[in-house]
Amino acid sequence: MTPDIGSRAAPGEHRVHAAGGRGPAAPPRTPPETSAAARGGAPADPAAPPERPAAGAGTARVEARPGEAKGGRGPRRPVRVLEVLGQMNRAGVEIRAVNLLRRLDPSEFRLEFAVTSGARGSLDGEIRDLGSEVYYCRADWLFPWRFLRLVRQTRPDVVHSAVATFSGVVLALARLGGVRRRVAYFVSSADRHGASLRGRVQRAVGRLLLDRCATDILAVSEAAMRGLWREDWRLDHRCRVIYNGVELEPSGVAVAARRRAEEIAADDPDIVTLVHVARPDPLKNRARAVEVLAALRARSIQARLRLVGRQEPAETAALTALAEQLGVGAHVEFTGEVREIPRLLAGSSLLLVTSLHEGMPTVVLEALAVGTPVLSADLPGVGEIGRLLPGVTTLPLSASDAVWADTADMLTAVPPTIDQRREAMRLVRRSPFTMDRWQRDITAVWS
């Protein structure tokens, strides 16, 4: 069993063992006071714990629900949310979760994380600095015991699971542990099980458990909802699409920095800078970005490629060998993880998205918010963005590198002006893709 290494406790809390480790103890479990129809949720769950009488009292005392004062007096306790993710590294859904943690009022919500990889991530320290916790629950044959133990000891009001159809297992255990609000959250249009017999069986079992145990089913796009749930998802009252949101303040800072760079001629206008932002994953198809760069330089265009995101030695070695083979080794830069993504995008000529599958890539929204054009594979989630915001061009992955290079050349021929970048940010601010709107919609589900 992988130990939890949580080492901090909030004031007034004591530490308890959870999921093979230590974490903050939860307030007492609170029974419901209203019917399912009154709160707009699913029927009462038979797995929920019974109401407990007050010690030394002749009659039972009903405790307040999360967010309500007891008897109309005293402080309200926060809604405790346990979000389940793969690993807390710098990627779209994980960064968005940490941004939300930073924004939440701790008197209203307490957000903690469980990771099914059982591995430490680059965001763990930041999460603990913000007063939260990460629990390590590896998805192996001991996972049911670990996760059920974690649920029973932390006693969350909400389990919010974003691990594709494996969320069916997570939410079934949450139901068994007495959690009343059980949210499935789809962030991609496909899972990793593939088309094998084993994959189809795993997917079918996961969906069956979700159908029986989820109180809410959310997705970042219609494509993600169709891909991981059902084509007729609109007929399911639990289903709702909540678009990803981006922070706009960093975008404004990035555009201002870009203006200063242009005023002092800090950038070479003759260099075309392609940027590809992704984690090390075959689904992100980083190799295709190297091939597009080679096709672009074959047209005597002075171009370079920045591969942004966590690196793994094997993948980096393979990409380096490919770049050398194509004669562009000197023009490919591995930047690793970057904190100021909007600033990097504002200083780039074009964002490349070559993924095989995506739900709704946040980096596309970040690029559009600083006025940097996007050339993407024709992913349905990216198409949903393109229907609401300008600046997105899509091509099928089956198109040749020459077609991709020609399109990249066209999109970067005339760089956007500062005024055009500011207008792009204003359009994003008026769109459904803001962090404020995403936070409002997500917390409304949790409440």
Side-chain angles (χ1 to χ4, degrees):
M1 181 170 64
T2 307
D4 184 297
I5 61 169
S7 60
R8 299 181 56 187
E13 290 185 336
H14 62 280
R15 310 298 294 181
V16 296
H17 290 282
R22 302 175 67 86
R29 184 70 187 168
T30 55
E33 295 177 0
T34 60
S35 66
R39 60 182 175 84
D45 192 328
E51 182 178 303
R52 294 178 297 175
T59 59
R61 176 177 59 87
V62 179
E63 297 179 347
R65 290 175 298 165
E68 291 185 350
K70 298 179 181 181
R73 300 186 305 275
R76 301 184 301 177
R77 80 173 182 86
V79 177
R80 297 184 67 103
V81 181
L82 181 65
E83 183 162 358
V84 182
L85 294 162
Q87 187 175 0
M88 298 309 297
N89 283 321
R90 291 191 175 277
V93 62
E94 291 82 5
I95 292 176
R96 197 161 56 252
V98 174
N99 286 342
L100 179 59
L101 173 64
R102 190 178 292 109
R103 283 167 151 258
L104 289 175
D105 182 345
S107 68
E108 295 184 0
F109 294 95
R110 179 171 176 81
L111 175 60
E112 297 178 319
F113 303 93
V115 293
T116 58
S117 66
R120 293 160 179 77
S122 58
L123 292 170
D124 292 5
E126 186 174 348
I127 289 168
R128 293 192 175 100
D129 287 342
L130 291 168
S132 184
E133 188 54 272
V134 182
Y135 303 97
Y136 304 100
C137 297
R138 183 177 176 82
D140 55 17
W141 65 279
L142 285 175
F143 176 80
W145 176 81
R146 287 195 190 104
F147 189 74
L148 188 56
R149 184 183 180 192
L150 173 63
V151 165
R152 285 175 171 169
Q153 294 192 352
T154 60
R155 305 180 80 176
D157 303 298
V158 182
V159 169
H160 180 103
S161 182
V163 286
T165 51
F166 185 69
S167 292
V169 175
V170 172
L171 298 189
L173 293 168
R175 178 177 178 175
L176 187 61
V179 180
R180 294 188 180 280
R181 181 70 70 180
R182 303 176 296 273
V183 183
Y185 186 45
F186 297 135
V187 298
S188 181
S189 59
D191 58 26
R192 299 177 179 277
H193 297 324
S196 66
L197 176 61
R198 179 180 178 182
R200 293 196 301 271
V201 170
Q202 288 177 323
R203 195 157 37 243
V205 171
R207 286 171 173 163
L208 177 63
L209 291 174
L210 281 172
D211 205 17
R212 297 194 174 198
C213 300
T215 60
D216 301 87
I217 300 173
L218 311 180
V220 298
S221 65
E222 294 181 13
M225 191 70 86
R226 290 193 302 268
L228 287 180
W229 189 232
R230 296 169 179 161
E231 287 289 340
D232 61 349
W233 62 272
R234 295 180 188 277
L235 301 179
D236 190 333
H237 72 279
R238 298 171 298 174
C239 292
R240 182 179 177 188
V241 170
I242 300 178
Y243 286 143
N244 286 345
V246 291
E247 296 278 8
L248 292 176
E249 182 179 353
S251 301
V253 172
V255 171
R258 179 67 183 174
R259 178 181 180 180
R260 290 193 296 271
E262 291 183 1
E263 288 174 348
I264 63 175
D267 295 328
D268 186 345
D270 294 328
I271 298 293
V272 173
T273 301
L274 309 180
V275 63
H276 189 282
V277 182
R279 66 180 183 273
D281 188 324
L283 292 177
K284 299 300 181 181
N285 197 15
R286 280 171 157 173
R288 187 62 186 275
V290 177
E291 294 166 353
V292 172
L293 171 69
L296 199 57
R297 290 195 65 86
R299 287 156 173 70
S300 299
I301 297 171
Q302 299 301 306
R304 62 183 176 184
L305 171 65
R306 287 176 175 160
L307 292 172
V308 180
R310 184 168 52 90
Q311 302 293 322
E312 289 184 352
E315 186 197 48
T316 301
L319 291 172
T320 301
L322 175 62
E324 294 292 344
Q325 178 186 342
L326 296 175
V328 295
H331 308 290
V332 176
E333 176 185 353
F334 296 90
T335 70
E337 292 185 334
V338 173
R339 285 181 175 270
E340 296 185 6
I341 292 293
R343 189 161 185 168
L344 179 140
L345 291 167
S348 302
S349 309
L350 182 70
L351 171 68
L352 279 179
V353 179
T354 56
S355 303
L356 305 180
H357 301 288
E358 290 280 1
M360 177 166 284
T362 304
V363 70
V364 170
L365 299 171
E366 291 174 319
L368 297 179
V370 296
T372 296
V374 176
L375 176 57
S376 172
D378 57 348
L379 304 166
V382 176
E384 289 180 49
I385 297 174
R387 289 198 294 269
L388 295 172
L389 290 173
V392 178
T393 302
T394 61
L395 288 172
L397 284 172
S398 59
S400 67
D401 294 335
V403 171
W404 277 73
D406 287 341
T407 307
D409 185 18
M410 176 189 68
L411 293 174
T412 57
V414 180
T417 66
I418 293 299
D419 286 341
Q420 287 172 329
R421 291 183 183 276
R422 287 171 173 164
E423 177 60 22
M425 187 169 62
R426 283 192 288 269
L427 290 175
V428 173
R429 182 177 287 113
R430 294 196 294 265
S431 77
F433 305 114
T434 65
M435 189 67 180
D436 286 341
R437 181 165 178 169
W438 182 82
Q439 176 182 350
R440 180 198 67 196
D441 291 345
I442 288 291
T443 54
V445 172
W446 292 349
S447 299

